[in-house]
Amino acid sequence: MLAPHATPTLSPARVTAVLRILVLSTFVVLLNETIMVNAIPRLMREFDVTAAAAGWLSTAFMLTMAVVIPVTGWFLQRVTTRTAFGLAMALFLAGTALAAAAPVFPVLLAARVIQASGTAVMMPLLMTTLMTLVPPRDRGRVMGNITLVISVAPALGPAVSGVLLELGSWRLLFLAVLPIAGAMAVFGRLKLVDIGEPQAGPIDWPSVPLAAAGFGALVYGLSGLGAENASQAPVHPAVTTLAGAVLVGLFVWRQLVLQRSSTPLLDLRALTYRHFSVALGLMCLSFMALMGAFILLPIYLQEVCGLTSLQTGLLLIPGGLTMGLLGPQVGKLYDRIGAPRLVVPGAALTALCLALFAFTGEETSPWLVLALHVALSAGMAFVFTPVFTSGLAVLPPQLYPHGSAILGSLQQVAAAAGTALVISIMSGQAASAAAEGADPTGALATGIRWGFGIGAVIGTLAVLVALLVRTPPVPEQPAEPEAPDEDGTATNKVAHSPT
């Protein structure tokens, strides 16, 4: 997508148009990621599958993201912006259409994998384009606007699915998304411009299966550790997790070797930038805590408080909206006061809310849960926007795609790890409480409290890492603006220097 030392220069209006296309398209694909949540019971009945099998509709999506994202660092440097966008939307549309028409469960599962392949390309494409086009002084504000879309879309998914399921078949979940995604794909191909020139270069084929098998096995193993039937699996999830960790280690070793003499599939030199590594660590811990809370809250609200799936989705919407609406304001504050004054209070508020969730029970009012969830979401808003912005800002332009791919890959691993940890703790403590004579609801409430307690511990660790975050000085390079070429490509010969 970008030559190593070519910085594109477009007019502010053109930059806004490019980012708007990518943001809206990303919103559509991310909305679909969580839109299946409320449909699981209905799919179990229609296709006559178990809850574990139906759960694969989410697990397969996450696995595919983990497998595809590590390759995007190489891919985005070797294709044009329009080509990457076109491929991502084509995959997403094909998967959506196939899902809407799926006659049997395996076809629906395959469709989700195809959808996830397109989603895995869109996120790094958006982040890389933002870091390339937006000058350092404006990145916080722009990243804040993107945070609004990224956080609101998954939050709206369960509520949208609840409404559509009330109106008719589960196929409406895909039929409703299909025309919107199609319109965005057509509009994007017509209006999007290519940023820079793609680099021609070979791909290290042995790295591809290593990345796919390593990250796939690691995420799959972690996802299965908390399952009730983990001990009955043909291969215990702990063995799969260990195998995945070994394969990821081999992948990392090969990338380090390739950095000396060739072009690695995923350039790990991004990790040599201290600001990026610290931001990456904080992002992983925060994501573990957030995903753990997202898993526990619906279980608590439905199984302990007795709310319906639609009521649960509606109750959780204000938190997602809070995170999204705060994003632009936090972005503006980042441009003015930097990262530390934002991420430390944000991480502390997140840890406090998780600790308070650990004291909830059967008699806790849903309105108190709503207030805590809104406060938790606000804390996360003060963490994510500065972390993404300051972490990627320190990298040189040629490492933007690789830095985005590293962030995306570890997000999937952190999500799986956080989910596995809290579910394992919840299940174990609930079983212990039941053995001591607690009724099923009380036992589950006890397990959930322990799960939130572990989330609070992770949140506390995030606070300690947040203390290490700094706002990296990124000098803005002067450039001679050039009009886009006839083919819509805009380039500039001025180079960015590594920070």
Side-chain angles (χ1 to χ4, degrees):
M1 185 171 116
L2 287 172
H5 299 293
T7 304
T9 303
L10 300 176
S11 67
R14 204 64 179 272
V15 169
T16 300
V18 169
L19 292 177
R20 186 170 294 162
I21 292 169
L22 294 177
V23 166
L24 291 176
S25 301
T26 303
F27 177 87
V28 173
V29 299
L30 286 180
L31 175 68
N32 187 79
E33 185 174 358
T34 57
I35 207 170
M36 296 294 293
V37 171
N38 287 330
I40 296 299
R42 189 174 297 189
L43 292 169
M44 289 169 59
R45 293 191 299 269
E46 180 156 337
F47 290 114
D48 192 23
V49 296
T50 64
W56 266 95
L57 293 173
S58 297
T59 303
F61 201 103
M62 184 169 59
L63 279 175
T64 304
M65 295 275 284
V67 168
V68 174
I69 287 178
V71 185
T72 60
W74 173 88
F75 175 73
L76 291 178
Q77 285 190 312
R78 284 155 180 79
V79 300
T80 64
T81 309
R82 297 177 77 246
T83 298
F85 175 83
L87 176 62
M89 293 305 292
L91 286 170
F92 182 78
L93 285 168
T96 303
L98 182 61
V104 293
F105 184 77
V107 174
L108 179 58
L109 186 60
R112 290 288 286 171
V113 170
I114 297 172
Q115 282 185 316
S117 300
T119 304
V121 176
M122 279 301 302
M123 280 299 297
L125 175 62
L126 172 61
M127 301 297 286
T128 301
T129 304
L130 180 152
M131 296 304 299
T132 304
L133 290 181
V134 180
R137 68 176 183 273
D138 295 327
R139 283 177 184 160
R141 175 181 56 82
V142 177
M143 187 71 78
N145 290 326
I146 289 177
T147 301
L148 185 153
V149 173
I150 292 175
S151 57
V152 169
L156 287 178
V160 170
S161 66
V163 173
L164 291 175
L165 289 171
E166 290 289 328
L167 297 176
S169 168
W170 60 267
R171 298 182 191 274
L172 283 176
L173 301 180
F174 302 103
L175 292 173
V177 171
L178 194 59
I180 300 173
M184 289 307 308
V186 172
F187 182 74
R189 286 291 294 174
L190 290 175
K191 299 296 183 180
L192 203 62
V193 297
D194 290 330
I195 309 301
E197 295 291 341
Q199 298 177 17
I203 184 172
D204 179 59
W205 289 109
S207 293
V208 176
L210 273 178
F215 284 100
L218 186 59
V219 170
Y220 175 68
L222 288 170
S223 300
L225 285 176
E228 293 181 5
N229 58 350
S231 59
Q232 302 172 3
V235 179
H236 196 279
V239 176
T240 307
T241 302
L242 180 60
V246 171
L247 290 172
V248 169
L250 291 174
F251 172 76
V252 170
W253 170 78
R254 184 163 184 83
Q255 305 317 296
L256 294 176
V257 171
L258 289 173
Q259 284 173 188
R260 302 176 193 146
S261 58
S262 182
T263 304
L265 182 70
L266 189 62
D267 199 327
L268 301 179
R269 279 173 287 201
L271 297 175
T272 63
Y273 291 79
R274 180 181 177 277
H275 294 297
F276 177 77
S277 297
V278 170
L280 188 65
L282 178 56
M283 183 275 297
C284 286
L285 288 171
S286 299
F287 216 71
M288 284 180 66
L290 181 64
M291 289 306 298
F294 277 2
I295 290 295
L296 292 174
L297 276 172
I299 299 174
Y300 170 72
L301 290 171
Q302 294 180 50
E303 302 300 328
V304 177
C305 297
L307 273 62
T308 66
S309 57
L310 179 58
Q311 288 172 330
T312 298
L314 293 174
L315 188 142
L316 296 178
I317 281 180
L321 292 176
T322 298
M323 188 185 298
L325 294 174
L326 278 177
Q329 307 307 317
V330 174
K332 293 176 183 178
L333 286 173
Y334 172 85
D335 291 331
R336 289 172 50 197
I337 65 177
R341 296 180 184 177
L342 298 173
V343 297
V344 174
L349 178 59
T350 299
L352 175 62
C353 290
L354 290 170
L356 293 175
F357 268 122
F359 291 96
T360 56
E362 298 175 66
E363 304 301 323
T364 302
S365 169
W367 295 108
L368 177 59
V369 175
L370 172 63
L372 284 176
H373 183 242
V374 168
L376 174 68
S377 301
M380 286 294 181
F382 278 86
V383 172
F384 283 140
T385 296
V387 163
F388 282 124
T389 308
S390 64
L392 290 173
V394 73
L395 300 179
Q398 67 268 27
L399 290 181
Y400 288 160
H402 296 278
S404 298
I406 292 170
L407 277 172
S409 299
L410 291 186
Q411 270 187 352
Q412 301 306 311
V413 174
T419 300
L421 184 59
V422 298
I423 292 296
S424 297
I425 295 296
M426 180 194 75
S427 301
Q429 293 299 321
S432 298
E436 294 174 0
D439 63 273
T441 302
L444 181 59
T446 298
I448 290 173
R449 284 196 295 271
W450 275 89
F452 279 122
I454 292 299
V457 173
I458 297 173
T460 302
L461 293 176
V463 174
L464 298 178
V465 177
L467 294 172
L468 303 176
V469 171
R470 298 291 183 270
T471 304
V474 183
E476 187 176 353
Q477 302 295 325
E480 290 291 335
E482 294 185 7
D485 299 333
E486 292 181 0
D487 62 357
T489 301
T491 58
N492 190 307
K493 298 181 181 179
V494 177
H496 278 254
S497 60
T499 302

